[in-house]
Every structure is written in structure tokens, then in C-alpha cells.
Amino acid sequence: MNRPERSSAFLLEDDEEKIEYFADTKVSNAGTFTFNKEDHTVANLLRMQLLRDPAVKFAGYMHPHPLIHKIHLKIQTSKSHVAPAETLSAAIEDLSNETDHLITQVTDAVDKWKKENDTGMMGM
């Protein structure tokens, strides 16, 4: 078949790094992060979380081609003492905390629903 192997969309090669950082030489307090084996899902989550941070002046991403599983995320901070890597790290931590909170809420709601609707449906 003339198609890429499906696992090439998410498995890193031996010589591949998950995240690479390139400082911007033209714009101060800016840099581009390259995420290998990621797509719009992760990039848009990170972009939206970064834009919530008051220290972030610009956050945007580019997906070069549908068959290239790579995202370029550019971040520019508004303050000279805040590095783009710091804001990205904080955004990832915030998303992790939000995900944990969401999982807890869903688990509690499912448990509550099961208790309220326990009608003896033979193991369902």
C-alpha cells in the first residue's frame, strides 16, 4: 500500500526528541517549540492555555502538513524576565491539574448516578 505506517504518527524514532526549542533571533522573549508526533488537539489546548497567562503576549501554532506529524508552537512573552519555556511549563501543569479535576468530577458523578439508579440490572 502507498501509505505511511500508522504508528509513525505517534511513535518517536530512536533519534527523535519529543520537544525541541529554538529561540527567536528577531523577536525578544520569543521562541518556537517543535512537538514531534503531535497534532491540532494538543497544540490548540496548549495555545488556549498559554493565552490565559497574562505574561504571554503571543501564542500560536502551525501544523506544516497533514502527513507530517509535527507542530510548531511559537510563544512570545511580554516581560523580559519570563522565558517562553517557563510559560509553556506552567501551561502544561495547569492543563494537568484541570484534567485531574475533570477526572475526579466525572468519577464522582458516575458513582453518584450508579447509587441513585441501582435497580438490580444484573451486573450492568
Side-chain angles (χ1 to χ4, degrees):
M1 283 267 181
N2 188 16
R3 69 174 185 206
E5 186 64 37
R6 288 184 185 214
S7 64
S8 69
F10 55 88
L11 292 178
L12 291 171
E13 301 294 329
D14 291 336
D15 60 339
E16 236 176 351
E17 294 289 327
K18 185 65 174 178
I19 303 173
E20 299 171 47
Y21 176 71
F22 304 97
D24 196 321
T25 57
K26 297 179 183 177
V27 180
S28 64
N29 307 325
T32 302
F33 294 88
T34 300
F35 291 83
N36 291 309
K37 309 299 183 189
E38 291 298 345
D39 61 7
H40 290 287
T41 306
V42 169
N44 198 38
L45 275 169
L46 288 171
R47 181 184 67 88
M48 292 303 295
Q49 189 65 36
L50 283 163
L51 291 174
R52 292 179 184 170
D53 188 342
V56 174
K57 188 174 188 177
F58 173 82
Y61 73 91
M62 180 184 73
H63 190 202
H65 189 276
L67 293 177
I68 299 173
H69 304 287
K70 195 176 279 199
I71 294 292
H72 301 291
L73 177 69
K74 185 167 182 113
I75 303 171
Q76 181 183 6
T77 59
S78 57
K79 300 173 184 163
S80 62
H81 62 277
V82 180
E86 291 175 25
T87 59
L88 179 62
S89 180
I92 292 170
E93 185 66 31
D94 291 344
L95 285 171
S96 176
N97 291 338
E98 285 183 31
T99 304
D100 291 342
H101 179 68
L102 181 64
I103 289 170
T104 302
Q105 284 184 318
V106 168
T107 303
D108 293 346
V110 167
D111 291 343
K112 180 181 175 186
W113 184 86
K114 284 181 180 178
K115 287 178 185 175
E116 291 174 355
N117 297 299
D118 188 20
T119 58
M121 296 185 346
M122 293 192 269
M124 294 182 112

